[in-house]
Amino acid sequence: MSLSLERASELKQIIHNHLLKMNIHGRIREVLAETVREDHGPAHRSLSQADFLRALQHRGIIDDVMKDLQFTQEVLTDAEPGSPPKPATHFVDKNITQLKKTNIDPSRRHLYLQVLGGKAFLEHLQEPEPLPGQVCSTFTVYLHFRNQRFRSKPVPCACEPDLREGFLLEIHREGTGEGSKMADGTTMLSLCDPVHLVLIKTDTSSETMLVSSYFLDWRVVLCSPNGKTCFAVELMGVGSECKVPAGVLTVGLELYPPLTDTLSADIISTQQSLERQRTAEKERLFLVYAKQWWREFLQIRPSNQSKMVKIFAQDENTVNRPVCSYVHVLRAGRLLESPRQAARFVSLLAHEKAPVVGGGDKQEQWCTLMAFLCRGKGDCEDHATLLCSLLLGFGLDAYVCVGTKAKGTPHTWVLTRSTDGSITFWESLTAHRYVHRAIDPDAPPLAPQPKPTSPYRTVGCVFNHYTFRANCQPSDAVELCVFDFQNQSRWKAMSQEALKSVCAPGSTTSLPPLPPLCAPSLDPAAASNQLELELRSLVSEHRKGCCCPGCR
């Protein structure tokens, strides 16, 4: 039987992967050391190749290697003529129920997450099955895990949507120089980062809607036999529908390579219970501190009660979190070239208030960053926190401002301070910038005063990822405010240590992980060129078949 060069290379790669999985090099070194020490003694250092092979065969290592190397007919047979060779660093998962492990690096630990279908999406119970080529509403699953983001193929909305997708997630250590080492069971047990699943519905007019946001604790696979498990995940609604089930997803988890010694379920449940207790205690202590801080703030001036000082905010799952936890240092790399471009990017995300059933005031909903990016639209708070995170990533001294604009409408925007003390307001919905110049109320009546240029009327507090300051000046009018944050008589600050205990990355398990920005899947230059070529071709074909004198 003859093999092509591509199949021979793939076969070598399979053998190499199996040998790495068995740690064959370490076992050979152990046999070599034992043979030199026991059989030949310290005085005799020479060892022939035949002696070493006999030692390997005597200890059964050669038999173990031959038993472990089992190939299927698909690997040994040659590829079809004209089929492209498969890259050595990529796998094509044609069958969702079985992961092809031939080209996965066996020296790294991976988690294979499968979405095996959905059911009980009762809102779409009466929705008819779409005809071929018909435009219909679709479901899309977005996933984020430890700086890795994925998206499933859109499928038609139905009571039992055909959501079937596989995602290969890499589990790695965070220590310096340990990124290439395989994580063991103890290390993975300490990784409390969940898998964030976001379900988005896109209707026929391309409008998106956030259906559910779910945090999956994947560590249940550590106690499963053979590193495989499958279970159902109940997705709840968002906002006012957070207590109403949206549907059920069947999820399968597979650990590769599997653990030789699986952990017990009691150890995993104990670890999760300890993490919840530690998080609850930190949040309780911060709440006690926040209440005391608020009482002190009201004692400064009774009128402070009416100022817009926002300490906590609810996310899409109606979980109360400190507002500082919604801001992170987000570095865009080469995706965004300047702060102005970052402001333009944020302004292109659509503005939409959180939907609410019935009338009355708007429902407050500060989305997590992953849900906001997947949905592609949100309220002014979502835009402001994202823009502040990006400006912090560019090295600017940026803060989110909570206050009001014209007609007393609640609003949030971004403030940056320069090294010379100048203040610039950034409107996250429009990418406009305004230079702030405060009015001096103690100036003489005839002294010239700067005219307000921004649309903002009052400001109650400012915050970013590590500081929170409330405005305790006599007036909260923006044109009279002095943004000297070091002056305790003008701005009352919270303890940075208290904020860090509940808002710093990794401080509590209730904080959602920070997703990275992803490059667009569409190359605008290439798409523009292709569109121009297609238009030229269509115009040329139209002119050939047209009888008008002007087209000839």
Side-chain angles (χ1 to χ4, degrees):
M1 178 179 59
S2 62
L3 294 176
S4 64
L5 293 178
E6 292 82 2
R7 283 297 183 179
S9 176
E10 184 178 349
L11 184 59
K12 292 179 181 179
Q13 181 68 27
I14 295 173
I15 296 175
H16 176 69
N17 292 347
H18 278 280
L19 294 180
L20 284 179
K21 177 182 175 182
M22 296 177 62
N23 192 21
I24 193 64
H25 298 93
R27 297 176 65 181
I28 290 176
R29 283 193 294 269
E30 293 176 0
V31 172
L32 179 60
E34 292 177 2
T35 305
V36 171
R37 183 173 60 253
E38 297 175 1
D39 297 346
H40 295 270
H44 186 67
R45 296 293 180 184
S46 62
L47 181 66
S48 65
Q49 182 178 0
D51 295 335
F52 185 57
L53 289 176
R54 281 195 297 271
L56 291 177
Q57 188 173 7
H58 176 70
R59 287 165 175 79
I61 294 181
I62 296 179
D63 293 337
D64 292 342
V65 172
M66 298 307 297
K67 290 179 181 179
D68 190 73
L69 289 176
Q70 299 177 359
F71 307 107
T72 62
Q73 186 67 21
E74 179 187 0
V75 175
L76 294 177
T77 56
D78 202 351
E80 296 180 1
S83 61
K86 183 167 56 174
T89 58
H90 182 68
F91 75 95
V92 179
D93 190 11
K94 297 180 180 179
N95 185 3
I96 195 65
T97 61
Q98 183 178 5
L99 172 65
K100 304 241 182 335
K101 307 182 181 69
T102 55
N103 293 323
I104 302 177
D105 185 359
S107 64
R108 308 289 294 272
R109 189 80 68 180
H110 294 83
L111 176 69
Y112 187 53
L113 187 148
Q114 302 174 73
V115 180
L116 300 174
K119 56 184 178 180
F121 286 83
L122 302 181
E123 187 176 344
H124 305 275
L125 183 61
Q126 303 297 331
E127 200 154 325
E129 185 175 351
L131 300 175
Q134 180 184 3
V135 178
C136 62
S137 302
T138 59
F139 279 144
T140 307
V141 175
Y142 293 82
L143 183 146
H144 168 232
F145 177 69
R146 295 180 66 80
N147 216 36
Q148 304 163 72
R149 285 180 60 183
F150 300 91
R151 180 181 64 181
S152 71
K153 297 183 294 291
V155 300
C157 294
C159 182
E160 296 185 0
D162 190 25
L163 285 166
R164 295 184 179 273
E165 199 78 39
F167 308 97
L168 186 65
L169 312 176
E170 184 177 346
I171 305 173
H172 54 82
R173 295 188 176 185
E174 295 180 311
T176 305
E178 295 183 344
S180 61
K181 294 183 180 180
M182 181 181 294
D184 54 13
T186 305
T187 302
M188 290 188 290
L189 182 62
S190 64
L191 299 179
C192 57
D193 293 348
V195 178
H196 192 181
L197 298 173
V198 176
L199 181 62
I200 298 292
K201 175 186 175 182
T202 306
D203 61 17
T204 55
S205 59
S206 299
E207 290 293 327
T208 58
M209 183 182 70
L210 178 61
V211 178
S212 181
S213 175
Y214 184 84
F215 295 94
L216 173 67
D217 195 336
W218 56 274
R219 290 174 294 181
V220 294
V221 74
L222 300 179
C223 65
S224 303
N226 301 322
K228 295 181 181 181
T229 184
C230 184
F231 51 89
V233 171
E234 185 179 31
L235 302 180
M236 307 301 291
V238 296
S240 59
E241 301 179 8
C242 65
K243 301 298 177 72
V244 180
V248 177
L249 287 183
T250 303
V251 175
L253 298 177
E254 180 179 357
L255 200 63
Y256 179 79
L259 292 173
T260 54
D261 297 324
T262 59
L263 303 179
S264 67
D266 293 338
I267 293 178
I268 297 176
S269 61
T270 302
Q271 174 71 14
Q272 294 171 340
S273 177
L274 290 174
E275 291 173 354
R276 287 192 295 268
Q277 293 176 9
R278 185 163 55 246
T279 296
E281 180 64 16
K282 288 184 177 181
E283 293 175 347
R284 185 190 68 82
L285 292 176
F286 179 77
L287 180 59
V288 172
Y289 167 77
K291 289 181 177 180
Q292 177 63 29
W293 180 91
W294 177 249
R295 285 193 292 265
E296 296 174 357
F297 179 69
L298 295 182
Q299 291 174 0
I300 297 175
R301 189 172 285 106
S303 60
N304 288 343
Q305 178 74 41
S306 60
K307 294 180 180 179
M308 296 196 64
V309 180
K310 188 74 176 174
I311 303 176
F312 297 92
Q314 287 187 350
D315 62 10
E316 66 268 18
N317 294 323
T318 66
V319 177
N320 266 321
R321 296 196 283 119
V323 293
C324 293
S325 65
Y326 289 88
V327 180
H328 315 268
V329 179
L330 184 59
R331 295 180 175 86
R334 297 183 178 180
L335 299 179
L336 300 172
E337 298 179 356
S338 65
R340 293 294 300 272
Q341 196 175 96
R344 175 63 176 164
F345 160 69
V346 175
S347 68
L348 291 176
L349 299 173
H351 176 222
E352 182 180 271
K353 299 182 184 297
V356 60
V357 179
D361 296 335
K362 75 161 189 173
Q363 178 182 348
E364 185 180 82
Q365 179 177 299
W366 293 37
C367 283
T368 58
L369 182 56
M370 180 66 179
F372 177 43
L373 293 175
C374 295
R375 186 186 175 202
K377 57 184 177 182
D379 211 339
C380 58
E381 296 87 359
D382 305 323
H383 288 78
T385 53
L386 174 57
L387 178 57
C388 184
S389 300
L390 290 171
L391 295 183
L392 289 170
F394 279 104
L396 299 182
D397 188 16
Y399 303 83
V400 176
C401 300
V402 179
T404 61
K405 56 180 182 179
K407 299 181 180 180
T409 306
H411 192 64
T412 58
W413 65 97
V414 180
L415 172 152
T416 56
R417 295 195 309 164
S418 302
T419 54
D420 59 356
S422 60
I423 302 298
T424 303
F425 294 146
W426 301 64
E427 178 50 60
S428 57
L429 299 179
T430 61
H432 292 167
R433 298 191 304 170
Y434 308 94
V435 177
H436 171 69
R437 294 182 177 88
I439 296 175
D440 186 5
D442 300 326
L446 298 180
Q449 295 282 8
K451 293 182 179 181
T453 58
S454 69
Y456 315 119
R457 294 296 172 258
T458 64
V459 55
C461 63
V462 299
F463 65 90
N464 56 18
H465 63 299
Y466 73 94
T467 184
F468 182 94
R469 301 178 186 273
N471 185 2
C472 53
Q473 301 176 56
S475 173
D476 60 354
V478 172
E479 63 266 17
L480 299 177
C481 280
V482 177
F483 291 92
D484 181 12
F485 297 147
Q486 279 67 41
N487 191 336
Q488 294 293 329
S489 64
R490 298 180 185 273
W491 297 90
K492 179 173 175 57
M494 273 192 170
S495 168
Q496 293 187 4
E497 292 299 323
L499 291 171
K500 188 184 299 183
S501 66
V502 292
C503 297
S507 58
T508 62
T509 57
S510 62
L511 289 180
L514 176 66
L517 294 182
C518 293
S521 57
L522 178 67
D523 184 1
S528 175
N529 293 336
Q530 181 65 25
L531 181 61
E532 182 179 352
L533 291 176
E534 292 178 359
L535 286 175
R536 285 181 178 180
S537 176
L538 291 174
V539 170
S540 178
E541 292 295 330
H542 175 74
R543 287 178 174 177
K544 288 180 181 179
C546 185
C547 300
C548 299
C551 295
R552 295 183 177 178

